[in-house]
Amino acid sequence: MNKEYFMRVALDLAFKAQELGEVPVGAVVVRDDEIIGRGYNHSIIAMDPTAHAEVVALRDAAQNLGNYRLLDCTLFVTLEPCVMCIGALFHARIKRLVYAAADPKTGVCGSLLNLPAETRLNHHLEVIGGVLATEAGSLLRQFFISKRNSGKALLL
Ligand SMILES: [Zn+2]
């Protein structure tokens, strides 16, 4: 599996979020080297606090497969998941998570907490971080710099 290729597709989705004025995060669900779900963050426009890229991509994949359990699937996301999204990944039985940039504020895959490593949770999720982290990190940084410079309050 070419991790960089799928992360680039997730980055393209993050750019879509940015165009809409949303925090630029994108995600794809992959099974057998095929993309079966796509999502990008659009919580503000959807007025939906759960519309994070990961949750949107999981929903898309589950609809395409006709099954809420996404067995043998890998989720690629441009930012380390938050507590809500890692919970959704557990419920979907995602096998492997690949993320780009670490998130020291809300990331729970090693930054703030490490929930995939929590042995009291009955779930096993392989985690690979840092794939195209520089690209994803600079996209997020540029986004927050432009928001600050435009003087608009970010609805987070
Ligand atoms: Zn999230």
Side-chain angles (χ1 to χ4, degrees), residues 7 10-11 24-26 54 76-82 97-111 127-141 144:
M7 193 61 80
L11 270 170
V25 182
E54 299 94 313
F76 291 81
V77 61
T78 57
L79 185 65
E80 183 182 354
C82 72
L97 162 69
V98 183
Y99 69 85
D103 185 349
K105 286 189 178 157
T106 66
V108 294
C109 301
S111 290
V127 179
I128 300 164
V131 176
L132 301 186
T134 308
E135 287 91 333
S138 75
L139 177 62
L140 284 157
R141 257 190 314 282
F144 285 111

Side-chain angles (χ1 to χ4, degrees), residues 6-75:
F6 291 114
M7 193 61 80
R8 291 221 178 273
V9 180
L11 270 170
D12 284 345
L13 289 160
F15 278 109
K16 279 194 180 182
Q18 184 185 37
E19 284 168 13
L20 297 170
E22 304 271 356
V23 176
V25 182
V28 292
V29 177
V30 175
R31 195 173 75 164
D32 296 332
D33 274 338
E34 187 191 347
I35 295 173
I36 58 164
R38 290 173 172 79
Y40 54 84
N41 176 48
H42 62 284
S43 289
I44 300 168
I45 287 169
M47 291 177 278
D48 178 358
T50 72
H52 286 189
E54 299 94 313
V55 171
V56 176
L58 290 175
R59 282 194 184 124
D60 189 30
Q63 294 292 312
N64 285 334
L65 284 184
N67 192 336
Y68 79 99
R69 287 189 168 167
L70 305 175
L71 302 178
D72 294 318
C73 290
T74 300
L75 183 131

